[in-house]
């Protein structure tokens, strides 16, 4: 079996590697799994906990603990039912969002200059994604406000997890160039990615600049939007066939309309808990 097939059921890179190793080797201890799969020992227990939560792996009560896969026919059926329920909830939220958008569009202050950008392949090519993100960010003059929803927590979206290094580097580059970066995050993969990059920086001047121009706060939210300079708004377009992946984004160049979202961002921002990036 092609290990990449496991990405289609929503497993991230570490989860796929560990699960595939258990399928091949059978019952193993965490330390042995870490060695065989080359997943760092500091991550292996977190990965195993998540696989257990998904119902794919069970823990044998022994000393030391051992891990083994649940019968795939049973595990996949349970996982399918859970994903089906999640998808129905997502569709319900989508319908509510459509209704809200239609209500807003019926008002006189509906957005002008709306552009839709699709990227069916960009998230699968590191260099192309990097070029796309940088081209978006090069127009920012003063500030970027980012809201990362709870649907992007680690392991939920393999597409998002794999793209985090590109976005985290781009945010750091903006802050280092004097652009104010404000990120409201729902404990996504973005946090450890940024933390890892900042930890590797030895130049105190760069660190001080990041502390001055970048601020991250934690808040569980389903809101998902990005604002450039209180003028341009970006709304994510989620793929409703393959939930957890992005088809592209709607870009709205309308300062009056965007200010309404900026007001929402400011309200959420006051509720967030500060995250220390250093």
């Amino acid at each position: 079996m092609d290990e990449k097939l496991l990405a289609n059921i929503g497993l991230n890179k570490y989860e796929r590697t560990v699960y595939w190793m258990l399928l091949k080797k059978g019952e193993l201890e965490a330390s042995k799994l870490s060695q065989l799969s080359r997943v760092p020992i500091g991550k292996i227990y977190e990965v195993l906990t998540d696989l257990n939560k998904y119902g794919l792996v069970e823990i044998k009560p022994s000393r030391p603990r051992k891990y083994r896969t649940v019968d795939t026919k049973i595990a996949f059926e349970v996982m399918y039912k859970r994903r089906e329920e999640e998808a129905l909830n997502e569709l319900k939220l989508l319908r509510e969002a459509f209704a809200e958008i239609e209500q807003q569009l019926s008002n006189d202050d509906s957005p002008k200059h709306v552009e839709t950008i699709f990227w069916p392949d960009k998230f699968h090519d590191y260099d192309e994604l990097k070029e796309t993100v940088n081209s978006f960010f090069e127009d920012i003059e003063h500030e970027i406000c980012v809201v990362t929803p709870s649907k992007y927590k680690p392991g939920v979206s393999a597409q998002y997890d794999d793209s985090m290094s590109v976005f985290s580097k781009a945010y750091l580059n903006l802050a280092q160039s004097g652009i104010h970066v404000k990120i409201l995050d729902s404990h996504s993969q973005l946090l450890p990615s940024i933390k890892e990059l900042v930890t590797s920086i030895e130049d105190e001047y760069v660190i001080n600049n990041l502390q001055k121009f970048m601020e991250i706060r934690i808040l569980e939210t389903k809101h998902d939007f990005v604002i450039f300079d209180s003028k341009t708004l970006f709304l994510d377009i989620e793929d409703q066939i393959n939930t957890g992946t992005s088809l592209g984004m709607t870009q709205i160049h309308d300062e009056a309309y965007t200010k309404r979202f900026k007001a929402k961002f400011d309200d959420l921002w006051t509720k967030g808990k500060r995250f220390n990036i250093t």
Side-chain angles (χ1 to χ4, degrees), residues 116-120 123 159 235-239 245-250:
T116 300
I117 303 167
F118 291 97
W119 45 28
F123 276 91
Q159 179 197 51
L235 300 174
D236 180 66
I237 305 173
E238 185 178 37
D239 187 342
T245 61
S246 177
L247 287 176
M249 62 172 54
T250 298

Side-chain angles (χ1 to χ4, degrees), residues 116-168:
T116 300
I117 303 167
F118 291 97
W119 45 28
D121 299 317
K122 288 183 171 59
F123 276 91
H124 304 290
D125 186 303
Y126 180 90
D127 292 331
E128 189 176 4
L129 175 61
K130 180 179 178 182
E131 182 180 346
T132 301
V133 171
N134 289 338
S135 68
F136 280 147
F137 288 178
E138 67 183 6
D139 294 329
I140 305 174
E141 296 178 356
H142 306 292
E143 179 185 68
I144 178 173
C145 299
V146 182
V147 183
T148 303
S150 53
K151 68 179 181 180
Y152 289 144
K153 287 187 176 181
V156 175
S157 169
Q159 179 197 51
Y160 189 78
D161 286 349
D162 293 341
S163 68
M164 271 306 90
S165 62
V166 173
F167 283 97
S168 54

Side-chain angles (χ1 to χ4, degrees), residues 89-108:
N89 289 333
E90 285 288 337
L91 287 173
K92 180 182 177 182
L93 291 173
L94 181 65
R95 182 178 294 278
E96 293 173 353
F98 282 155
E100 182 178 350
I101 292 172
E102 287 177 359
Q103 181 180 358
Q104 292 181 5
L105 292 178
S106 66
N107 298 331
D108 293 335

Side-chain angles (χ1 to χ4, degrees), residues 46-202:
E46 178 184 342
V47 172
L48 287 167
T49 297
D50 288 339
L51 290 172
N52 176 254
K53 180 180 66 177
Y54 302 152
L56 296 175
V57 167
E58 60 184 5
I59 305 171
K60 183 179 179 181
S62 58
R63 290 182 179 274
R65 287 186 177 183
K66 292 185 178 181
Y67 300 82
R68 60 192 176 196
T69 58
V70 176
D71 180 270
T72 53
K73 185 175 182 180
I74 297 173
F76 290 167
E77 180 65 22
V78 171
M79 195 172 188
Y80 177 83
K81 291 293 185 182
R82 180 170 59 84
R83 290 294 176 84
E84 183 179 40
E85 183 178 345
E86 291 173 353
L88 290 174
N89 289 333
E90 285 288 337
L91 287 173
K92 180 182 177 182
L93 291 173
L94 181 65
R95 182 178 294 278
E96 293 173 353
F98 282 155
E100 182 178 350
I101 292 172
E102 287 177 359
Q103 181 180 358
Q104 292 181 5
L105 292 178
S106 66
N107 298 331
D108 293 335
D109 57 351
S110 59
K112 312 297 189 299
H113 312 296
V114 178
E115 177 185 3
T116 300
I117 303 167
F118 291 97
W119 45 28
D121 299 317
K122 288 183 171 59
F123 276 91
H124 304 290
D125 186 303
Y126 180 90
D127 292 331
E128 189 176 4
L129 175 61
K130 180 179 178 182
E131 182 180 346
T132 301
V133 171
N134 289 338
S135 68
F136 280 147
F137 288 178
E138 67 183 6
D139 294 329
I140 305 174
E141 296 178 356
H142 306 292
E143 179 185 68
I144 178 173
C145 299
V146 182
V147 183
T148 303
S150 53
K151 68 179 181 180
Y152 289 144
K153 287 187 176 181
V156 175
S157 169
Q159 179 197 51
Y160 189 78
D161 286 349
D162 293 341
S163 68
M164 271 306 90
S165 62
V166 173
F167 283 97
S168 54
K169 288 177 183 177
Y171 293 142
L172 290 181
N173 288 337
L174 287 174
Q176 289 177 24
S177 64
I179 301 296
H180 288 277
V181 179
K182 300 175 74 173
I183 301 173
L184 193 64
D185 193 275
S186 300
H187 292 285
S188 78
Q189 191 70 13
L190 181 63
L191 299 181
S193 181
I194 289 179
K195 190 85 171 180
E196 182 179 358
L197 287 173
V198 173
T199 302
S200 67
I201 298 173
E202 298 180 356

